């Protein structure tokens, strides 16, 4: 018997930037729309720079966010400073919107622990990037539980990819969040590919949002390439959680226009036609066309914006490059309030070895 | 000259193959402009320029394999080399102007060199013996572990000779092991057989009995020695290994309990063992458990020898060709049949005194008329 429980799907702008129905009232805020556009454009340019820095050996493996700029930008904007982001590795856009500096993001991908010790006031208690798949969903339930225990009107927001929704960690977290009615929002970046596993082979569920139903929490889909839809629905989910009405799962349907990471080559398993079709739906052009239609944008402004962003990015890269060398023991510094004895021994051993290597590391 | 060296383009990749150059010497490039497409084990990767400048040299052509840390392009003008791998790697010492052909040799200093390569211990030992450079190997095991098969595949000097098989292969291995472990000392003496009945010259049965008597006189040579635990096991019985030469190689069947068997019994036992070995019908259990060994090369040729002791045994007796020899006998020169005897002991377990007492008892028993 096929499952036929309807899941809502929200989209305000179509591929041509035309409203596909009535727009929410908050859209009458030109500055907000321009902010979205500016931020998404920054994300894309910065993302491209990150890939180039990896290709020239200046940072390590990097997970590009190409094509998924709307999700993180809208999500970061919908959260308040009091809320806590528990991100995964494809959250450059979210972190940037939360105020994390580009040079910190570069430091993280450059293997420097200081990249997760940012001082951005709006993101002080945000978690560092989580690379193990879906484990961050558990962390988010822990954070949300803490808010409940402290009786704080704050919300934990966690992100993951489509592949992560098949993991026990994710499903257990949904269950816990549902039964405890935790103030947490699960945002799924369904970009159709979990490295080389397509969405069709990931799950037989009609939508990933359906997974929320078994946990007794609301689940919905939004067009992840429509920044207005993502912002609108996630804002509602966050405020719902803040009001003590429990968790929500928001599945943002988008497309990974790049490789999984810089270690991947998607052309080996992905059809080129599928990719070029997906480019027609990408989020920045869509918003730009909408802004053009509203008389808020033109070619001159676009060129000026590209110049400004280029300068900002170059300055961030320079700041990253001039970061003094990290202490070799830094890997041990952020895990425990007090380092257990066995780790202390390991750290000391490492420092001795690092000192022995010092000649080649510092000359 | 400022060189841009091939970075690690994936996670722990060692090399990349040049697919196509998008610039050439003399070209002016901007930051992030595409320089070259390379193929790694994981992906085809477009490598952009880390800086603006004029290219003075491109290293390598399509199809060339470059190792991480080797120069990719050189920019005109002075300056230090740009980093390659993430983090804090050192820079190549000096500013050598590499000839086009030797860029493939030797990578820039990299922290990778200080990292231990995961290698199976057996593979590391084999590589040492074959002279295979481990640093050049890409392990096929889990986590890049270098296996024995990887080392064998990387052995560029396979033997031109014929591979040893079966018995000879076993011999080669056993002898290497024994030689590596045992500390051998050899002592030799002649047994004067003039009292033997002229017609009854069966030295094998007499040798077996003499060895049994010698073991009874000096039990220290009929023991098992464990070199790893430094312990000695004293044997209750004397089980004599008898080295038999065959076209296939060396066999050492075991004659059981030689201390408690009469001459006729020993003769039949020896005949049966020899026949079984030559027919290749000897059961494996008959080749195991010798407590002491006799190598009677006297049936072939040669006087003295220092045969190899197989641990855990501690002694081996060699018997040479019986020959007519002029000897001093009761103040006169006489011609007697002489059997040269060699005794080799493992000095880790046996003292010189024990060896000498054993040999004395052995020779005296051999020299007796019956």
């Amino acid at each position: 018997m096929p499952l036929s429980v309807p899941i809502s799907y929200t989209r305000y702008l179509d591929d041509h930037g035309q409203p596909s129905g009535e727009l929410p009232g908050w859209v009458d805020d030109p500055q907000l729309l321009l902010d979205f556009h500016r931020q998404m454009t920054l994300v894309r340019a910065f993302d491209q720079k990150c890939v180039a820095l990896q290709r020239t050996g200046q940072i390590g493996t990097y997970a590009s966010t190409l094509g998924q700029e709307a999700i993180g930008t809208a999500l970061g904007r919908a959260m308040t400073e009091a809320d806590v982001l528990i991100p995964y590795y494809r959250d450059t856009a979210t972190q940037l919107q939360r105020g994390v500096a580009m040079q910190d993001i570069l430091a993280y991908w450059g293997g420097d622990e200081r990249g997760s010790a940012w001082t951005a006031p709006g993101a002080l208690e945000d978690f560092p990037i989580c690379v193990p798949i879906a484990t961050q969903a558990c962390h988010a339930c822990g954070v949300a539980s803490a808010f409940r225990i402290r009786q704080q009107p704050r919300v934990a927001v966690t992100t993951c990819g489509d592949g992560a929704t098949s993991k026990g960690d994710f499903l257990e977290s949904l269950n816990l969040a549902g039964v405890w009615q935790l103030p947490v929002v699960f945002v799924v970046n369904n970009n159709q590919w979990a490295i080389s596993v397509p969405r069709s082979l990931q799950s037989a569920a009609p939508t990933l949002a359906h997974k929320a139903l078994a946990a007794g929490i609301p689940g919905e889909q939004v067009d992840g390439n429509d920044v207005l839809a993502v912002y609108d629905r996630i804002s509602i989910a966050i405020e719902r959680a803040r009001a003590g009405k429990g968790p929500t799962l928001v599945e943002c349907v988008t497309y990974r226009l790049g490789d999984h990471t810089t270690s991947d080559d998607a052309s080996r398993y992905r059809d080129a036609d599928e990719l070029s079709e997906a480019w027609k739906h990408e989020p920045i052009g869509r918003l730009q066309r909408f802004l053009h239609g509203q008389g808020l944008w033109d070619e001159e402004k676009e060129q000026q914006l590209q110049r400004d962003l280029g300068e900002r990015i170059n300055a961030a890269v320079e700041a990253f490059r001039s970061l003094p060398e990290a202490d070799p023991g830094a890997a041990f510094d952020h895990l425990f309030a007090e380092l257990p004895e066995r780790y202390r021994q390991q750290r000391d051993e490492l420092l001795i070895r690092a000192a022995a290597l010092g000649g080649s590391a510092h000359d | 000259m400022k060189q841009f060296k091939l970075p690690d383009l994936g996670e722990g990749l060692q090399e990349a193959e040049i697919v196509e150059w998008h610039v050439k010497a003399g070209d002016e490039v901007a930051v992030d402009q595409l320089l070259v497409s390379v193929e790694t084990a994981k992906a085809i990767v477009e490598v952009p320029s880390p800086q603006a400048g004029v290219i003075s040299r491109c290293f390598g052509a399509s199809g060339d394999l470059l190792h991480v840390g080797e120069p990719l392009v050189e920019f005109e003008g002075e300056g230090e080399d740009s980093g390659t791998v993430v983090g804090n790697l050192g820079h190549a010492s000096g500013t050598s102007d590499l000839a086009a052909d030797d860029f493939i040799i030797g990578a820039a200093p990299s922290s990778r060199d200080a990292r231990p390569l995961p290698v199976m211990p057996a593979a590391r030992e084999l590589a040492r013996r074959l002279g295979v450079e481990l640093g050049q190997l890409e392990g096929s095991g889990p986590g890049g572990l270098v296996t024995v098969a990887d080392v064998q595949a990387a052995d560029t000097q396979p033997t031109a000779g014929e591979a040893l098989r079966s018995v000879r292969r076993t011999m080669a291995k056993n002898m290497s092991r024994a030689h590596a472990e045992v500390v051998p000392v050899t002592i030799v003496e002649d047994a004067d057989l003039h009292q033997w009945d002229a017609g009854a010259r069966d030295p094998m049965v007499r040798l077996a009995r003499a060895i049994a008597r010698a073991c009874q006189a000096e039990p220290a040579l009929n023991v098992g020695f464990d070199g790893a635990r430094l312990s000695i096991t004293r044997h209750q019985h004397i089980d004599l290994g008898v080295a038999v030469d065959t076209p296939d190689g060396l066999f050492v069947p075991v004659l059981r309990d030689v201390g408690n068997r009469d001459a006729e019994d020993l003769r039949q036992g020896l005949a049966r063992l020899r026949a079984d070995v030559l027919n290749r019908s000897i059961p494996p259990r008959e080749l195991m458990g010798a407590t002491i060994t006799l190598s009677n090369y006297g049936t072939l040729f040669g006087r003295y020898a220092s045969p190899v002791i197989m641990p855990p045994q501690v002694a081996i007796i060699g018997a040479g060709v019986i020959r007519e020899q002029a000897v001093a006998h009761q103040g006169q020169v006489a011609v007697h049949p002489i059997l040269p005897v060699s005794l080799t002991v493992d000095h880790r377990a046996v003292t010189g005194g024990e060896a000498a007492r054993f040999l004395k008892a052995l020779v005296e028993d051999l020299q007796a008329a019956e």
Side-chain angles (χ1 to χ4, degrees):
Chain A
M1 186 187 77
L3 189 66
S4 60
V5 178
I7 288 284
S8 73
Y9 177 89
T10 307
R11 165 195 269 186
Y12 293 125
L13 296 181
D14 67 16
D15 289 342
H16 309 289
Q18 296 297 317
S20 54
E22 199 180 330
L23 295 177
W26 56 260
V27 173
D28 289 334
D29 179 354
Q31 195 50 54
L32 177 62
L33 300 181
L34 289 170
D35 284 355
F36 279 148
H37 177 258
R38 179 184 181 83
Q39 189 69 19
M40 285 160 62
T41 309
L42 170 68
V43 170
R44 183 163 295 180
F46 177 62
D47 190 74
Q48 195 178 5
K49 183 52 116 178
C50 290
V51 173
L53 290 172
Q54 190 278 337
R55 296 300 191 223
T56 51
Q58 299 175 77
I59 63 171
T61 301
Y62 173 75
S64 166
T65 195
L66 183 65
Q68 299 134 90
E69 297 87 351
I71 300 169
T73 299
L75 166 59
R77 183 86 188 208
M79 293 172 69
T80 70
E81 288 194 2
D83 301 332
V84 167
L85 175 70
I86 299 99
Y88 80 130
Y89 50 78
R90 209 179 303 283
D91 265 317
T92 300
T94 329
Q95 289 193 308
L96 280 177
Q97 179 65 54
R98 293 283 287 166
V100 177
M102 284 184 272
Q103 73 175 85
D104 289 330
I105 293 174
L106 291 173
Y108 169 82
W109 293 103
D112 192 321
E113 297 292 335
R114 290 170 293 187
S116 298
W118 53 75
T119 53
L124 265 186
E125 291 187 88
D126 282 5
F127 275 40
I129 289 170
C130 186
V131 175
I133 303 301
T135 55
Q136 71 276 16
C138 307
H139 309 157
C141 288
V143 171
S145 300
F147 293 157
R148 268 272 292 277
I149 292 164
R150 296 173 184 167
Q151 298 188 317
Q152 293 171 330
R154 303 170 71 184
V155 179
V157 181
T158 187
T159 52
C160 65
D162 37 309
T165 65
S166 301
K167 294 275 291 181
D169 286 340
F170 177 80
L171 297 164
E172 290 166 32
S173 298
L174 282 189
N175 186 66
L176 186 78
V179 77
W180 285 1
Q181 288 293 289
L182 294 174
V184 55
V185 176
F186 299 93
V187 179
V188 177
N189 174 349
N190 175 7
N191 63 21
Q192 314 302 326
W193 289 92
I195 309 188
S196 56
V197 178
R199 166 64 184 86
S200 58
L201 298 180
Q202 187 61 245
S203 172
T207 77
L208 300 177
H210 274 92
K211 300 195 177 206
L213 303 182
I217 69 178
E220 59 178 292
Q221 281 190 314
V222 301
D223 183 340
N225 295 337
D226 176 0
V227 68
L228 305 185
V230 180
Y231 177 72
D232 188 58
R233 297 311 304 171
I234 289 183
S235 296
I236 289 168
I238 288 175
E239 291 321 309
R240 186 174 172 276
R242 198 188 310 286
K245 294 177 183 168
T248 307
L249 189 166
V250 181
E251 175 191 354
C252 304
V253 183
T254 179
Y255 195 87
R256 196 190 76 201
L257 293 174
D259 299 324
H260 168 69
T261 67
T262 49
S263 292
D264 178 42
D265 179 0
S267 69
R268 296 193 177 193
Y269 52 79
R270 189 165 66 182
D271 192 41
D273 293 342
E274 181 184 311
L275 182 61
S276 50
E277 173 61 28
W279 268 102
K280 295 176 187 164
H281 313 295
E282 66 86 21
I284 297 180
R286 186 187 304 199
L287 179 62
Q288 218 173 70
R289 286 186 280 275
F290 177 69
L291 293 176
H292 270 287
Q294 302 283 305
L296 292 169
W297 204 243
D298 57 38
E299 187 54 33
E300 198 184 322
K301 284 179 178 160
E302 177 67 23
Q303 285 183 6
Q304 182 60 42
L305 176 64
Q306 292 289 354
R307 275 194 299 275
D308 291 351
L309 297 179
E311 283 168 21
R312 269 182 67 191
I313 290 167
N314 288 339
V317 171
E318 278 316 307
F320 161 65
R321 283 185 179 137
S322 56
L323 203 60
E325 194 167 295
D327 172 28
F332 292 87
D333 289 348
H334 303 283
L335 290 172
F336 295 90
E338 267 179 54
L339 205 57
E341 181 54 32
R342 64 184 186 282
Y343 288 116
R344 210 194 318 277
Q345 286 168 6
Q346 288 180 22
R347 186 191 58 189
D348 293 347
E349 209 172 296
L350 178 78
L351 290 177
I352 289 165
R353 286 197 199 180
L357 278 175
S360 69
H362 292 274
D363 67 3
Chain B
M1 290 294 160
K2 180 167 174 157
Q3 290 176 343
F4 169 46
K5 305 197 190 77
L6 180 69
D8 179 353
L9 293 164
E11 293 167 51
L13 294 177
Q14 305 287 334
E15 59 200 12
E17 183 183 320
I18 295 177
V19 175
E20 186 187 1
W21 280 102
H22 303 290
V23 295
K24 58 184 186 303
D27 285 359
E28 185 165 359
V29 296
V31 183
D32 295 343
Q33 182 179 330
L34 185 55
L35 292 178
V36 60
S37 304
V38 300
E39 181 160 18
T40 71
K42 290 182 172 176
I44 289 184
V45 174
E46 313 282 19
V47 179
S49 177
Q51 63 166 82
V54 176
I55 305 282
S56 62
R57 177 184 287 179
C58 300
F59 291 89
S62 296
D64 282 349
L65 204 63
L66 260 61
H67 293 94
V68 167
E70 286 166 351
L72 201 53
V73 294
E74 196 170 81
F75 293 94
E76 281 184 5
E78 296 295 310
E80 59 176 310
D81 296 343
S82 80
T84 52
V85 183
V86 179
N88 30 17
L89 298 181
H91 302 299
S93 58
T95 52
S96 61
D97 192 36
L98 296 170
D101 279 340
D102 54 31
F103 66 86
I104 208 91
I105 300 165
S110 145
S111 64
R112 196 178 301 285
D113 297 339
R115 255 180 260 160
L117 186 72
V119 184
M120 273 184 179
R124 191 182 291 283
E125 173 61 17
L126 183 64
R128 190 187 62 75
R129 285 195 276 124
L130 297 179
V132 170
E133 286 284 327
L134 283 171
Q136 306 300 318
L137 291 189
E138 196 125 337
S140 64
L145 183 72
V146 176
T147 66
V148 169
D150 294 333
V151 173
Q152 282 167 342
D155 181 16
T156 50
Q157 295 173 305
T159 172
E162 184 188 341
L164 292 182
R165 303 208 181 280
S166 107
V167 181
R168 281 186 178 273
R169 191 179 174 83
T170 307
M171 178 178 77
K173 284 181 170 176
N174 285 344
M175 292 301 147
S176 304
R177 189 166 62 88
H179 183 69
E181 188 179 334
V182 171
V183 180
V185 172
T186 299
I187 177 170
V188 298
E189 185 52 273
D190 292 336
D192 187 333
L193 308 184
H194 76 279
Q195 296 193 70
W196 282 20
D197 192 346
R201 278 192 183 175
D202 189 348
M204 272 309 284
V205 172
R206 288 296 303 270
L207 279 164
R209 190 187 79 180
I211 289 168
R213 300 263 167 91
C215 286
Q216 282 149 3
E218 182 48 84
L221 272 67
N222 190 41
V223 303
F225 177 67
D226 183 338
R229 294 179 182 79
L230 294 180
S231 69
I232 283 179
T233 306
R234 298 186 192 285
H235 297 304
Q236 300 303 312
H237 296 281
I238 303 157
D239 294 328
L240 180 65
V242 182
V244 177
D245 176 66
T246 79
D248 291 329
L250 173 69
F251 282 86
V252 187
V254 180
L255 195 60
R256 303 287 168 190
D257 198 17
V258 292
N260 294 315
R261 294 167 74 168
D262 63 26
E264 188 49 36
D265 193 6
L266 288 174
R267 196 184 329 275
Q268 289 174 11
L270 277 166
R272 201 162 47 241
L273 285 182
R274 265 205 211 98
D276 285 351
V277 166
L278 294 173
N279 294 338
R280 296 295 298 271
S281 61
I282 187 153
R285 65 173 183 282
E286 293 299 329
L287 296 170
M288 296 191 299
T291 62
I292 191 164
T293 298
L294 167 65
S295 174
N296 183 14
Y297 51 88
T299 57
L300 302 166
F301 197 72
R303 187 174 294 197
Y304 305 111
S306 57
V308 177
I309 297 165
M310 288 307 304
Q313 295 171 60
V314 299
I316 185 165
I317 293 94
V321 175
I322 299 169
R323 66 195 72 208
E324 299 284 308
Q325 212 169 309
V327 296
H329 181 66
Q330 294 175 347
Q332 301 290 320
V333 173
V335 175
H336 285 173
I338 300 296
L339 170 55
V341 180
S342 304
L343 170 65
T344 299
V345 298
D346 185 345
H347 208 338
R348 292 177 305 163
V350 178
T351 67
E354 287 162 347
R357 278 192 292 278
F358 181 94
L359 186 58
K360 184 165 184 274
L362 190 154
V363 168
E364 282 175 0
D365 187 70
L366 267 183
Q367 291 184 152
E370 289 294 325

